C-alpha cells in the first residue's frame, strides 16, 4: 500500500492538532512539566486508519521511550505505507501479471520462461500443506535460487522458509533471520508460529522494537530530538 503526500500531511496535521488541543487544555504548570519530560502523543483521529491499531502502536512507543512527536508520526507513517495500519501477510502474486512480477524480480524473467512463470506464480507450498495458491513463488524469490546468497545470509535455509517467513505484521517482517532476531527482542515466539505476527498486539510490539532498533543504530538513541517532520521522515 502506498501512502500519498496528502495522506502523510493529514496524519501529521491530525497528530499535531491533538498536541495543540491537549496543550491548550493543560494548565501552565502541566505544560511546563510536559516540556521538561518531552512531547507526548495523542491518537490520530483520521477515519482512514483504525484508531485501535494506532493506540497499540502508541502504547509500545511509550514502553520503549519513543516520545518525540515527529519520530512517532514518522513511525506511524511507515506502518501506514506498509500495511495501512492493519497487520497482514504479504499478498500472493497468483493473479499478478508476469510483466509486473518480472519488474519486481528481474532475475525470474531471465531464468524462467513465461509458461514456467505462469505455473510458478500459482504454485502452492508444503509450508501450509499446499493449501494457498501463490505461496510457492515465495519459496523461490526468498529461497536458495535468489541471486546473491540472500537466503543463506538472512536465515532462509530450509526449502520452504521463503513462504513460511514471508512478509507479515504491520511492517512486513521478512526472512527467518529477522523473525528470530525480533522473537528474541520481543520475547514472543514468532519463529515457531510466524502467523502470530499478524496478531495486532504482537505486531505492534515487534514493529516498534524493529524501528526502535533502527533508530538506535542510526542515532544511538531510540528517541532522537527531531525538530521537524522532514527531519524525522
Amino acid at each position: 500500500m502506498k501512502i500519498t503526500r496528502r495522506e502523510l500531511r493529514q496524519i501529521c496535521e491530525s497528530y499535531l492538532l491533538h498536541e495543540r488541543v491537549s496543550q491548550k487544555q493543560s494548565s501552565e504548570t502541566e505544560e511546563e512539566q510536559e516540556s521538561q519530560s518531552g512531547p507526548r502523543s495523542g491518537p490520530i483521529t483520521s477515519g482512514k486508519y483504525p484508531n485501535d491499531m494506532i493506540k497499540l502502536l502508541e502504547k509500545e512507543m511509550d514502553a520503549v521511550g519513543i516520545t518525540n512527536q515527529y519520530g512517532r508520526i514518522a513511525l506511524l507513517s511507515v506502518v501506514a505505507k506498509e500495511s495501512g495500519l492493519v497487520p497482514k501477510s504479504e499478498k500472493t502474486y497468483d493473479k499478478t501479471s508476469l510483466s509486473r512480477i518480472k519488474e519486481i524480480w528481474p532475475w525470474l524473467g531471465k531464468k524462467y520462461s513465461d509458461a514456467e512463470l505462469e505455473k510458478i506464480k500459482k504454485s502452492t507450498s508444503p509450508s501450509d500443506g499446499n493449501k494457498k495458491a501463490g505461496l510457492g513463488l515465495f519459496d523461490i524469490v526468498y529461497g536458495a535460487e535468489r541471486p546473491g546468497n540472500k537466503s543463506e545470509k538472512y536465515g532462509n535455509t530450509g526449502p520452504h522458509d521463503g513462504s513460511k517467513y514471508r512478509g507479515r505484521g504491520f511492517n512486513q517482517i521478512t526472512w527467518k533471520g529477522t523473525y528470530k532476531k525480533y522473537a528474541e527482542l520481543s520475547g514472543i515466539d514468532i519463529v515457531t508460529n510466524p502467523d502470530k505476527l499478524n496478531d495486532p498486539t504482537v505486531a505492534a510490539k515487534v514493529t516498534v522494537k524493529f524501528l526502535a532498533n533502527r533508530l538506535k543504530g542510526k542515532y544511538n538513541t531510540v528517541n532522537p530530538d527531531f525538530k521537524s517532520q522532514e527531519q524525522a521522515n
Side-chain angles (χ1 to χ4, degrees), residues 135-146:
L135 290 188
L137 176 64
F138 294 128
D139 287 337
I140 293 176
V141 298
Y142 296 140
E145 291 187 45
R146 186 177 180 129

Side-chain angles (χ1 to χ4, degrees), residues 213-233:
N213 188 58
R214 287 197 167 186
L215 286 171
K216 191 170 184 179
K218 185 174 182 179
Y219 299 101
N220 202 32
T221 176
V222 300
N223 193 42
D225 186 23
F226 295 125
K227 301 298 185 182
S228 70
Q229 198 60 55
E230 183 178 4
Q231 184 184 10
N233 288 344

Side-chain angles (χ1 to χ4, degrees), residues 4 15 29 38 41 50 93-94 101 104 138 156 189 211-212 225 227:
T4 65
Y15 201 99
T29 301
S41 76
Y93 293 83
D94 54 308
I101 289 174
I104 299 170
F138 294 128
N156 283 5
D189 185 5
L211 295 171
D225 186 23
K227 301 298 185 182

